[in-house]
mmCIF file of all heavy atoms in Angstrom:
data_model
loop_
_atom_site.group_PDB
_atom_site.id
_atom_site.type_symbol
_atom_site.label_atom_id
_atom_site.label_comp_id
_atom_site.label_asym_id
_atom_site.label_seq_id
_atom_site.Cartn_x
_atom_site.Cartn_y
_atom_site.Cartn_z
ATOM 1 N N GLY A 1237 -18.246 -9.008 13.442
ATOM 2 C CA GLY A 1237 -18.522 -9.759 12.218
ATOM 3 C C GLY A 1237 -17.450 -10.760 11.846
ATOM 4 O O GLY A 1237 -17.719 -11.960 11.723
ATOM 5 N N LEU A 1238 -16.223 -10.301 11.636
ATOM 6 C CA LEU A 1238 -15.156 -11.229 11.238
ATOM 7 C C LEU A 1238 -14.767 -12.167 12.373
ATOM 8 O O LEU A 1238 -14.328 -13.292 12.130
ATOM 9 C CB LEU A 1238 -13.940 -10.460 10.723
ATOM 10 C CG LEU A 1238 -14.139 -9.845 9.341
ATOM 11 C CD1 LEU A 1238 -12.953 -8.965 8.971
ATOM 12 C CD2 LEU A 1238 -14.352 -10.910 8.284
ATOM 13 N N PHE A 1239 -14.955 -11.740 13.612
ATOM 14 C CA PHE A 1239 -14.729 -12.623 14.753
ATOM 15 C C PHE A 1239 -15.680 -13.821 14.667
ATOM 16 O O PHE A 1239 -15.266 -14.965 14.846
ATOM 17 C CB PHE A 1239 -14.941 -11.861 16.066
ATOM 18 C CG PHE A 1239 -14.945 -12.746 17.284
ATOM 19 C CD1 PHE A 1239 -13.758 -13.225 17.809
ATOM 20 C CD2 PHE A 1239 -16.140 -13.094 17.890
ATOM 21 C CE1 PHE A 1239 -13.759 -14.045 18.934
ATOM 22 C CE2 PHE A 1239 -16.156 -13.910 19.003
ATOM 23 C CZ PHE A 1239 -14.967 -14.392 19.530
ATOM 24 N N LEU A 1240 -16.965 -13.569 14.369
ATOM 25 C CA LEU A 1240 -17.946 -14.649 14.263
ATOM 26 C C LEU A 1240 -17.676 -15.545 13.054
ATOM 27 O O LEU A 1240 -17.815 -16.769 13.135
ATOM 28 C CB LEU A 1240 -19.360 -14.079 14.184
ATOM 29 C CG LEU A 1240 -19.864 -13.402 15.460
ATOM 30 C CD1 LEU A 1240 -21.228 -12.778 15.219
ATOM 31 C CD2 LEU A 1240 -19.914 -14.383 16.616
ATOM 32 N N VAL A 1241 -17.285 -14.955 11.941
ATOM 33 C CA VAL A 1241 -16.940 -15.743 10.755
ATOM 34 C C VAL A 1241 -15.766 -16.665 11.078
ATOM 35 O O VAL A 1241 -15.788 -17.861 10.758
ATOM 36 C CB VAL A 1241 -16.605 -14.832 9.553
ATOM 37 C CG1 VAL A 1241 -16.010 -15.638 8.412
ATOM 38 C CG2 VAL A 1241 -17.842 -14.078 9.094
ATOM 39 N N SER A 1242 -14.767 -16.136 11.728
ATOM 40 C CA SER A 1242 -13.593 -16.929 12.089
ATOM 41 C C SER A 1242 -13.961 -18.073 13.028
ATOM 42 O O SER A 1242 -13.501 -19.205 12.865
ATOM 43 C CB SER A 1242 -12.542 -16.018 12.733
ATOM 44 O OG SER A 1242 -11.399 -16.742 13.083
ATOM 45 N N ALA A 1243 -14.824 -17.804 14.010
ATOM 46 C CA ALA A 1243 -15.251 -18.840 14.954
ATOM 47 C C ALA A 1243 -16.033 -19.940 14.228
ATOM 48 O O ALA A 1243 -15.843 -21.132 14.503
ATOM 49 C CB ALA A 1243 -16.090 -18.224 16.067
ATOM 50 N N ALA A 1244 -16.906 -19.561 13.300
ATOM 51 C CA ALA A 1244 -17.680 -20.549 12.532
ATOM 52 C C ALA A 1244 -16.756 -21.402 11.670
ATOM 53 O O ALA A 1244 -16.926 -22.625 11.589
ATOM 54 C CB ALA A 1244 -18.719 -19.846 11.670
ATOM 55 N N LEU A 1245 -15.779 -20.775 11.042
ATOM 56 C CA LEU A 1245 -14.834 -21.527 10.211
ATOM 57 C C LEU A 1245 -14.027 -22.512 11.048
ATOM 58 O O LEU A 1245 -13.747 -23.631 10.604
ATOM 59 C CB LEU A 1245 -13.908 -20.583 9.451
ATOM 60 C CG LEU A 1245 -14.537 -19.861 8.274
ATOM 61 C CD1 LEU A 1245 -13.581 -18.815 7.718
ATOM 62 C CD2 LEU A 1245 -14.959 -20.841 7.194
ATOM 63 N N ASP A 1246 -13.654 -22.117 12.270
ATOM 64 C CA ASP A 1246 -12.938 -23.036 13.156
ATOM 65 C C ASP A 1246 -13.769 -24.287 13.430
ATOM 66 O O ASP A 1246 -13.253 -25.394 13.398
ATOM 67 C CB ASP A 1246 -12.589 -22.356 14.480
ATOM 68 C CG ASP A 1246 -11.420 -21.393 14.357
ATOM 69 O OD1 ASP A 1246 -10.702 -21.429 13.339
ATOM 70 O OD2 ASP A 1246 -11.227 -20.597 15.298
ATOM 71 N N LYS A 1247 -15.067 -24.100 13.692
ATOM 72 C CA LYS A 1247 -15.933 -25.245 13.978
ATOM 73 C C LYS A 1247 -16.114 -26.148 12.758
ATOM 74 O O LYS A 1247 -16.344 -27.346 12.900
ATOM 75 C CB LYS A 1247 -17.288 -24.762 14.482
ATOM 76 C CG LYS A 1247 -17.237 -24.171 15.876
ATOM 77 C CD LYS A 1247 -18.621 -23.833 16.366
ATOM 78 C CE LYS A 1247 -18.562 -23.192 17.732
ATOM 79 N NZ LYS A 1247 -18.380 -24.141 18.805
ATOM 80 N N LEU A 1248 -16.015 -25.581 11.573
ATOM 81 C CA LEU A 1248 -16.183 -26.339 10.338
ATOM 82 C C LEU A 1248 -14.858 -26.830 9.755
ATOM 83 O O LEU A 1248 -14.814 -27.374 8.654
ATOM 84 C CB LEU A 1248 -16.890 -25.474 9.290
ATOM 85 C CG LEU A 1248 -18.316 -25.053 9.625
ATOM 86 C CD1 LEU A 1248 -18.795 -23.975 8.659
ATOM 87 C CD2 LEU A 1248 -19.242 -26.252 9.610
ATOM 88 N N ASN A 1249 -13.760 -26.626 10.484
ATOM 89 C CA ASN A 1249 -12.412 -26.950 10.008
ATOM 90 C C ASN A 1249 -12.096 -26.221 8.712
ATOM 91 O O ASN A 1249 -11.388 -26.734 7.844
ATOM 92 C CB ASN A 1249 -12.228 -28.459 9.824
ATOM 93 C CG ASN A 1249 -12.305 -29.202 11.133
ATOM 94 O OD1 ASN A 1249 -11.753 -28.749 12.137
ATOM 95 N ND2 ASN A 1249 -13.011 -30.299 11.160
ATOM 96 N N GLY A 1250 -12.639 -25.027 8.580
ATOM 97 C CA GLY A 1250 -12.406 -24.217 7.395
ATOM 98 C C GLY A 1250 -11.258 -23.245 7.590
ATOM 99 O O GLY A 1250 -10.701 -23.117 8.675
ATOM 100 N N THR A 1251 -10.918 -22.566 6.510
ATOM 101 C CA THR A 1251 -9.847 -21.577 6.545
ATOM 102 C C THR A 1251 -10.283 -20.327 5.795
ATOM 103 O O THR A 1251 -11.196 -20.366 4.975
ATOM 104 C CB THR A 1251 -8.560 -22.108 5.886
ATOM 105 O OG1 THR A 1251 -8.823 -22.398 4.511
ATOM 106 C CG2 THR A 1251 -8.029 -23.342 6.591
ATOM 107 N N MET A 1252 -9.611 -19.226 6.096
ATOM 108 C CA MET A 1252 -9.829 -17.988 5.360
ATOM 109 C C MET A 1252 -8.470 -17.365 5.079
ATOM 110 O O MET A 1252 -7.687 -17.131 5.992
ATOM 111 C CB MET A 1252 -10.680 -17.005 6.163
ATOM 112 C CG MET A 1252 -10.954 -15.725 5.378
ATOM 113 S SD MET A 1252 -11.819 -14.390 6.274
ATOM 114 C CE MET A 1252 -13.021 -15.214 7.245
ATOM 115 N N ASP A 1253 -8.198 -17.157 3.805
ATOM 116 C CA ASP A 1253 -6.996 -16.442 3.396
ATOM 117 C C ASP A 1253 -7.397 -15.003 3.110
ATOM 118 O O ASP A 1253 -8.403 -14.752 2.452
ATOM 119 C CB ASP A 1253 -6.387 -17.058 2.135
ATOM 120 C CG ASP A 1253 -5.895 -18.479 2.361
ATOM 121 O OD1 ASP A 1253 -5.400 -18.766 3.468
ATOM 122 O OD2 ASP A 1253 -6.007 -19.289 1.435
ATOM 123 N N VAL A 1254 -6.601 -14.069 3.615
ATOM 124 C CA VAL A 1254 -6.907 -12.650 3.454
ATOM 125 C C VAL A 1254 -5.701 -11.964 2.828
ATOM 126 O O VAL A 1254 -4.568 -12.172 3.253
ATOM 127 C CB VAL A 1254 -7.207 -11.987 4.817
ATOM 128 C CG1 VAL A 1254 -7.532 -10.517 4.646
ATOM 129 C CG2 VAL A 1254 -8.329 -12.712 5.527
ATOM 130 N N SER A 1255 -5.973 -11.168 1.818
ATOM 131 C CA SER A 1255 -4.915 -10.338 1.257
ATOM 132 C C SER A 1255 -5.435 -8.914 1.151
ATOM 133 O O SER A 1255 -6.636 -8.684 0.986
ATOM 134 C CB SER A 1255 -4.454 -10.862 -0.103
ATOM 135 O OG SER A 1255 -5.522 -10.858 -1.020
ATOM 136 N N SER A 1256 -4.525 -7.977 1.282
ATOM 137 C CA SER A 1256 -4.911 -6.577 1.259
ATOM 138 C C SER A 1256 -3.912 -5.780 0.442
ATOM 139 O O SER A 1256 -2.708 -6.031 0.494
ATOM 140 C CB SER A 1256 -4.957 -6.018 2.686
ATOM 141 O OG SER A 1256 -5.257 -4.642 2.673
ATOM 142 N N ASN A 1257 -4.447 -4.846 -0.279
ATOM 143 C CA ASN A 1257 -3.628 -3.880 -0.995
ATOM 144 C C ASN A 1257 -4.106 -2.512 -0.523
ATOM 145 O O ASN A 1257 -5.102 -1.998 -1.037
ATOM 146 C CB ASN A 1257 -3.797 -4.043 -2.506
ATOM 147 C CG ASN A 1257 -2.844 -3.167 -3.282
ATOM 148 O OD1 ASN A 1257 -1.914 -2.597 -2.730
ATOM 149 N ND2 ASN A 1257 -3.074 -3.041 -4.569
ATOM 150 N N PRO A 1258 -3.454 -1.945 0.517
ATOM 151 C CA PRO A 1258 -3.924 -0.682 1.065
ATOM 152 C C PRO A 1258 -4.217 0.345 -0.029
ATOM 153 O O PRO A 1258 -3.428 0.554 -0.940
ATOM 154 C CB PRO A 1258 -2.783 -0.244 1.971
ATOM 155 C CG PRO A 1258 -2.172 -1.539 2.429
ATOM 156 C CD PRO A 1258 -2.257 -2.423 1.202
ATOM 157 N N GLY A 1259 -5.414 0.923 0.058
ATOM 158 C CA GLY A 1259 -5.865 1.879 -0.935
ATOM 159 C C GLY A 1259 -6.643 1.251 -2.076
ATOM 160 O O GLY A 1259 -7.219 1.943 -2.903
ATOM 161 N N ASP A 1260 -6.651 -0.103 -2.120
ATOM 162 C CA ASP A 1260 -7.282 -0.782 -3.259
ATOM 163 C C ASP A 1260 -8.122 -1.983 -2.834
ATOM 164 O O ASP A 1260 -8.351 -2.885 -3.622
ATOM 165 C CB ASP A 1260 -6.200 -1.208 -4.250
ATOM 166 C CG ASP A 1260 -6.762 -1.563 -5.616
ATOM 167 O OD1 ASP A 1260 -7.792 -0.999 -6.005
ATOM 168 O OD2 ASP A 1260 -6.160 -2.426 -6.281
ATOM 169 N N GLY A 1261 -8.555 -2.068 -1.593
ATOM 170 C CA GLY A 1261 -9.450 -3.125 -1.154
ATOM 171 C C GLY A 1261 -8.761 -4.360 -0.610
ATOM 172 O O GLY A 1261 -7.556 -4.411 -0.433
ATOM 173 N N MET A 1262 -9.595 -5.370 -0.339
ATOM 174 C CA MET A 1262 -9.129 -6.618 0.248
ATOM 175 C C MET A 1262 -9.770 -7.794 -0.470
ATOM 176 O O MET A 1262 -10.795 -7.645 -1.137
ATOM 177 C CB MET A 1262 -9.467 -6.670 1.739
ATOM 178 C CG MET A 1262 -8.804 -5.562 2.534
ATOM 179 S SD MET A 1262 -9.117 -5.659 4.294
ATOM 180 C CE MET A 1262 -8.041 -7.011 4.730
ATOM 181 N N ASN A 1263 -9.180 -8.982 -0.287
ATOM 182 C CA ASN A 1263 -9.702 -10.214 -0.849
ATOM 183 C C ASN A 1263 -9.769 -11.244 0.274
ATOM 184 O O ASN A 1263 -8.810 -11.412 1.026
ATOM 185 C CB ASN A 1263 -8.801 -10.712 -1.977
ATOM 186 C CG ASN A 1263 -9.261 -12.040 -2.520
ATOM 187 O OD1 ASN A 1263 -8.860 -13.086 -2.029
ATOM 188 N ND2 ASN A 1263 -10.115 -12.000 -3.524
ATOM 189 N N PHE A 1264 -10.909 -11.921 0.377
ATOM 190 C CA PHE A 1264 -11.119 -12.970 1.368
ATOM 191 C C PHE A 1264 -11.451 -14.256 0.613
ATOM 192 O O PHE A 1264 -12.408 -14.295 -0.155
ATOM 193 C CB PHE A 1264 -12.291 -12.628 2.293
ATOM 194 C CG PHE A 1264 -12.086 -11.364 3.076
ATOM 195 C CD1 PHE A 1264 -12.386 -10.135 2.520
ATOM 196 C CD2 PHE A 1264 -11.609 -11.413 4.372
ATOM 197 C CE1 PHE A 1264 -12.216 -8.961 3.244
ATOM 198 C CE2 PHE A 1264 -11.429 -10.248 5.103
ATOM 199 C CZ PHE A 1264 -11.736 -9.024 4.531
ATOM 200 N N LEU A 1265 -10.674 -15.300 0.834
ATOM 201 C CA LEU A 1265 -10.919 -16.599 0.212
ATOM 202 C C LEU A 1265 -11.242 -17.585 1.327
ATOM 203 O O LEU A 1265 -10.404 -17.877 2.180
ATOM 204 C CB LEU A 1265 -9.699 -17.072 -0.584
ATOM 205 C CG LEU A 1265 -9.821 -18.433 -1.246
ATOM 206 C CD1 LEU A 1265 -10.972 -18.458 -2.255
ATOM 207 C CD2 LEU A 1265 -8.512 -18.815 -1.921
ATOM 208 N N ILE A 1266 -12.482 -18.071 1.330
ATOM 209 C CA ILE A 1266 -12.955 -18.980 2.373
ATOM 210 C C ILE A 1266 -13.016 -20.387 1.804
ATOM 211 O O ILE A 1266 -13.548 -20.613 0.719
ATOM 212 C CB ILE A 1266 -14.347 -18.537 2.873
ATOM 213 C CG1 ILE A 1266 -14.240 -17.165 3.538
ATOM 214 C CG2 ILE A 1266 -14.936 -19.571 3.829
ATOM 215 C CD1 ILE A 1266 -15.563 -16.541 3.888
ATOM 216 N N ARG A 1267 -12.478 -21.329 2.579
ATOM 217 C CA ARG A 1267 -12.517 -22.735 2.189
ATOM 218 C C ARG A 1267 -13.146 -23.542 3.320
ATOM 219 O O ARG A 1267 -12.737 -23.413 4.472
ATOM 220 C CB ARG A 1267 -11.112 -23.260 1.922
ATOM 221 C CG ARG A 1267 -10.458 -22.652 0.711
ATOM 222 C CD ARG A 1267 -9.093 -23.318 0.462
ATOM 223 N NE ARG A 1267 -8.480 -22.782 -0.712
ATOM 224 C CZ ARG A 1267 -7.522 -21.845 -0.702
ATOM 225 N NH1 ARG A 1267 -7.085 -21.353 0.433
ATOM 226 N NH2 ARG A 1267 -7.003 -21.413 -1.830
ATOM 227 N N ILE A 1268 -14.141 -24.356 2.961
ATOM 228 C CA ILE A 1268 -14.798 -25.230 3.933
ATOM 229 C C ILE A 1268 -14.753 -26.638 3.357
ATOM 230 O O ILE A 1268 -15.258 -26.879 2.261
ATOM 231 C CB ILE A 1268 -16.254 -24.804 4.183
ATOM 232 C CG1 ILE A 1268 -16.301 -23.371 4.708
ATOM 233 C CG2 ILE A 1268 -16.936 -25.760 5.163
ATOM 234 C CD1 ILE A 1268 -17.681 -22.780 4.781
ATOM 235 N N PRO A 1269 -14.136 -27.583 4.074
ATOM 236 C CA PRO A 1269 -14.040 -28.943 3.544
ATOM 237 C C PRO A 1269 -15.408 -29.628 3.519
ATOM 238 O O PRO A 1269 -16.250 -29.399 4.386
ATOM 239 C CB PRO A 1269 -13.090 -29.648 4.514
ATOM 240 C CG PRO A 1269 -13.163 -28.862 5.770
ATOM 241 C CD PRO A 1269 -13.492 -27.453 5.377
ATOM 242 N N LEU A 1270 -15.617 -30.429 2.494
ATOM 243 C CA LEU A 1270 -16.842 -31.221 2.388
ATOM 244 C C LEU A 1270 -16.632 -32.563 3.081
ATOM 245 O O LEU A 1270 -15.562 -33.159 3.016
ATOM 246 C CB LEU A 1270 -17.184 -31.471 0.925
ATOM 247 C CG LEU A 1270 -17.587 -30.263 0.098
ATOM 248 C CD1 LEU A 1270 -17.806 -30.686 -1.347
ATOM 249 C CD2 LEU A 1270 -18.840 -29.628 0.657
ATOM 250 N N THR A 1271 -17.675 -33.022 3.720
ATOM 251 C CA THR A 1271 -17.653 -34.329 4.346
ATOM 252 C C THR A 1271 -18.798 -35.144 3.786
ATOM 253 O O THR A 1271 -19.945 -34.687 3.806
ATOM 254 C CB THR A 1271 -17.791 -34.210 5.869
ATOM 255 O OG1 THR A 1271 -16.737 -33.402 6.374
ATOM 256 C CG2 THR A 1271 -17.742 -35.574 6.538
ATOM 257 N N VAL A 1272 -18.501 -36.318 3.278
ATOM 258 C CA VAL A 1272 -19.536 -37.202 2.747
ATOM 259 C C VAL A 1272 -19.848 -38.240 3.816
ATOM 260 O O VAL A 1272 -18.961 -38.925 4.313
ATOM 261 C CB VAL A 1272 -19.058 -37.884 1.440
ATOM 262 C CG1 VAL A 1272 -20.115 -38.867 0.938
ATOM 263 C CG2 VAL A 1272 -18.729 -36.832 0.395
ATOM 264 N N ILE A 1273 -21.122 -38.312 4.171
ATOM 265 C CA ILE A 1273 -21.564 -39.280 5.169
ATOM 266 C C ILE A 1273 -22.378 -40.341 4.443
ATOM 267 O O ILE A 1273 -23.401 -40.040 3.823
ATOM 268 C CB ILE A 1273 -22.404 -38.604 6.261
ATOM 269 C CG1 ILE A 1273 -21.575 -37.528 6.958
ATOM 270 C CG2 ILE A 1273 -22.918 -39.649 7.256
ATOM 271 C CD1 ILE A 1273 -22.366 -36.675 7.920
#
């Protein structure tokens, strides 16, 4: 799952920031740049 998400973000020039607090969950922040054609 996350392997595929990461590959898709690479193709879209996107990024994912991940933070974790063991015992209290994780946070995923995904950014995908917009392109105006």
